[in-house]
Amino acid sequence: MGTKVRSLTVVRRAVDARKKSDVHFVYTLDVSVKDEASALARCRDAAPAPKDIWQPPVFDGRRDSRPVVVGFGPGGMFAALVLAMAGLRPIVLERGEAAEARTEKVARLRTDGLLDPESNIQFGEGGAGAFSDGKLSTGVKDRRIPWVLAQLAEAGAPADILTDAKPHIGTDLLPGVCAGIRQRIIALEGEVRFSTKVTGLAVENGRLTGAETNRGFVPCEALILACGHSARDTFEMLCKLNIPIAPKPFAMGVRIEHLQRDIDRAQYGPFAGHPRLSAADYSLACQLPNGRRCYTFCMCPGGEVVPAASEEGRVCTNGASPSKRNYVNSNATLLAAVAPEDFPYAGVLGGMQWQRAIEQAAYDAAGGGYLAPCQTVGGFLTGRAAPISEVTPSYAPGVRERELRGILPPLCRGYHRRGSAHIRPQAPGLRYGRGRTDRAGDPLLLSCADGTGRRYAKPRPAGALSLRRGGRLGRGHHERRRGRHPLRPGAAAISF
């Protein structure tokens, strides 16, 4: 163009695979030129680069009372980090353990079927996402997202998350990243207390005076409740304290597994297996005739299905991928929306009780030991037996082949069957896969949730930014993700 380029920086990299014969990378560049006005006039695809880079606010008020953050998932973690950067020396109360000790408890559940209700895939440093996938993509548009990604990279996440269109950390790296943020909070004179469960709140004359815990009373005047969707006993405690809570629609579903090579072929065509391309993913959705939505969520390329139970005698699953996404299987969920009027249990906690009932039915159906009931998608949709063939279940401690129609509510079974029929034309080349039931949201989401209440708390921008909605203890939602993809019968299976 005849314009002198002073500097050039890659700010975003994406894969365009819409045309299978022409799969290519698309780069967004930040270019500094001598004559910007002339360059903008000549290049129709160029636009001025944003100059407004968000930074945490500076606090100049009272510092005599330390704020308390309950929960150390992404919301609580970034709330504590911002408070610490403001010089407020926050105290974090986390019922689970630090990442190092928690890793041992998660491994024990997977190998021996032994669950610690206070330290597991749901509870502990980093929240559910610390032992999940670490996807950092979000539909939220917020100028704070680059700052959040920068903090994760500074704590040890790969630098690629700063430029990838679909950034991802990986379950093998996430515990270390969470520990890095914890160490930064401590260096800023914050405090993180693990194995400290909040059991009550003290209020005098309508004002908060402290939090009651299993390790004693913690005085405070300001408290951020970032307990996550699985802290059901916390929700019950809040109800007893007459704190306003309202039921909210959520999503329920099944998790599917299929071979990653099939997803790569469907998405990349002849370029599948190219060393420059990462494991392919997908996202599918449809509107049912009755107005309800069915959609896939939390697709984990090159990953595995993991046990996500947090209560004894109940089974729930989640998906995970390592940083290289190089496992044989991939997995996702297919979700169906349900509303408070669908709940078979009364009261504001009716959705939560429904979750518990389904998870207990799944546990009983598989015979205990946190095994997961499992069935081929073809068998689930048609009602005819279809033996597991190509896809080996990745779920540990293991699966039992069981009929899932007696576990999932009839309403959801109908939505999933009709949803599969509507979604299938969107996914040519995919084959039937394997799935299990997941918890992916909560019927009672508090002020620190991401606003939709539809997903696990993961170290992702949406979870880290959700505190902007704070101020009240609000509505929430639970989602049992059951993700199955419309694929060839017999190739895989579904389970809870």
Side-chain angles (χ1 to χ4, degrees):
M1 295 192 306
T3 301
K4 184 177 180 180
V5 175
R6 292 174 172 171
S7 65
L8 184 151
T9 305
V10 175
V11 296
R12 188 175 186 270
R13 185 188 73 157
V15 175
D16 187 341
R18 289 172 295 179
K19 189 175 181 180
K20 304 308 177 210
S21 60
D22 182 26
V23 176
H24 58 273
F25 289 99
V26 178
Y27 285 84
T28 301
L29 306 176
D30 192 343
V31 182
S32 175
V33 297
K34 183 177 181 180
D35 185 353
E36 182 176 289
S38 175
L40 289 173
R42 296 185 183 190
C43 184
R44 292 178 299 175
D45 294 330
K51 303 184 186 304
D52 184 17
I53 301 175
W54 185 85
Q55 292 296 329
V58 176
F59 181 78
D60 56 3
R62 291 175 51 208
R63 299 175 187 266
D64 52 340
S65 178
R66 300 176 70 180
V68 168
V69 179
V70 179
F72 204 49
M77 184 177 296
F78 275 88
L81 178 59
V82 171
L83 291 170
M85 294 174 72
L88 293 174
R89 301 167 53 243
I91 299 173
V92 177
L93 307 178
E94 168 56 54
R95 67 191 295 172
E97 295 176 305
E100 299 88 347
R102 188 180 172 205
T103 299
E104 298 178 7
K105 298 293 179 65
V106 172
R108 190 171 69 171
L109 174 60
R110 300 192 67 187
T111 57
D112 303 325
L114 299 175
L115 172 70
D116 183 340
E118 299 300 335
S119 187
N120 45 61
I121 278 187
Q122 301 293 347
F123 300 142
E125 183 172 36
F131 291 90
S132 180
D133 188 62
K135 289 182 288 291
L136 300 172
S137 54
T138 175
V140 173
K141 304 297 183 184
D142 195 292
R143 65 192 184 94
R144 292 171 292 182
I145 289 178
W147 180 86
V148 171
L149 295 177
Q151 308 316 302
L152 293 169
E154 186 175 331
D160 290 348
I161 68 171
L162 302 175
T163 55
D164 283 350
K166 296 181 178 180
H168 165 258
I169 297 178
T171 189
D172 52 329
L173 303 181
L174 276 165
V177 173
C178 294
I181 294 178
R182 181 226 310 167
Q183 293 300 331
R184 189 173 177 197
I185 292 170
I186 294 173
L188 293 168
E189 299 187 60
E191 184 179 349
V192 181
R193 302 179 186 177
F194 293 110
S195 300
T196 305
K197 178 179 177 180
V198 172
T199 57
L201 301 176
V203 179
E204 294 181 8
N205 300 321
R207 297 182 66 86
L208 178 72
T209 60
E212 299 169 358
T213 80
N214 60 326
R215 295 193 168 190
F217 184 75
V218 180
C220 67
E221 297 178 5
L223 180 147
I224 294 175
L225 192 56
C227 59
H229 74 29
S230 293
R232 293 166 173 168
D233 47 4
T234 301
F235 304 150
E236 292 170 332
M237 176 267 289
L238 296 173
C239 279
K240 291 178 181 179
L241 293 175
N242 296 318
I243 292 177
I245 297 177
K248 180 185 176 183
F250 63 97
M252 185 176 294
V254 292
R255 182 161 289 269
I256 185 176
E257 280 194 282
H258 24 226
L259 296 174
Q260 179 60 45
R261 71 186 185 201
D262 294 336
I263 309 303
D264 291 342
R265 291 168 180 169
Q267 297 292 65
Y268 295 145
F271 291 93
H274 193 285
R276 292 284 306 280
L277 293 173
S278 61
D281 63 0
Y282 59 79
S283 178
L284 304 171
C286 73
Q287 191 89 3
L288 298 177
N290 64 357
R292 298 288 180 91
R293 290 184 68 237
C294 274
Y295 56 96
T296 62
F297 177 72
C298 189
M299 197 278 167
C300 300
E304 59 187 339
V305 181
V306 297
S310 56
E311 294 181 322
E312 293 180 334
R314 296 185 173 96
V315 163
C316 182
T317 64
N318 192 15
S321 294
S323 55
K324 293 183 179 180
R325 289 180 163 174
N326 56 354
Y327 290 178
V328 173
N329 291 355
S330 64
N331 65 82
T333 66
L334 177 64
L335 295 169
V338 294
E341 57 266 28
D342 301 322
F343 301 167
Y345 297 88
V348 296
L349 300 183
M352 187 179 79
Q353 301 305 329
W354 197 15
Q355 293 175 340
R356 281 175 162 165
I358 296 171
E359 292 172 8
Q360 182 174 342
Y363 181 90
D364 293 340
Y370 299 96
L371 301 179
C374 182
Q375 183 180 19
T376 63
V377 176
F380 176 74
L381 296 178
T382 65
R384 297 189 296 270
I388 298 173
S389 55
E390 290 183 42
V391 179
T392 300
S394 63
Y395 177 89
V399 302
R400 291 268 173 83
E401 292 190 53
R402 294 290 187 268
E403 169 60 62
L404 299 186
R405 294 190 178 209
I407 301 173
L408 283 172
L411 177 71
C412 293
R413 295 201 306 265
Y415 286 168
H416 291 146
R417 289 197 299 271
R418 292 193 293 272
S420 293
H422 282 77
I423 284 177
R424 188 169 188 172
Q426 303 178 37
L430 296 184
R431 304 174 300 164
Y432 276 110
R434 151 185 323 275
R436 300 165 189 72
T437 62
D438 278 24
R439 186 191 307 158
D442 202 275
L444 295 174
L445 190 63
L446 303 184
S447 62
C448 197
D450 68 3
T452 62
R454 66 182 179 186
R455 60 193 65 179
Y456 281 98
K458 298 190 176 188
R460 57 196 302 160
L465 299 174
S466 61
L467 287 169
R468 70 185 187 280
R469 311 190 190 277
R472 72 183 179 93
L473 296 176
R475 302 167 300 165
H477 127 197
H478 154 96
E479 133 201 329
R480 299 194 55 87
R481 326 172 192 193
R482 244 348 144 217
R484 11 188 192 79
H485 220 264
L487 310 179
R488 188 185 73 230
I494 322 176
S495 71
F496 264 80

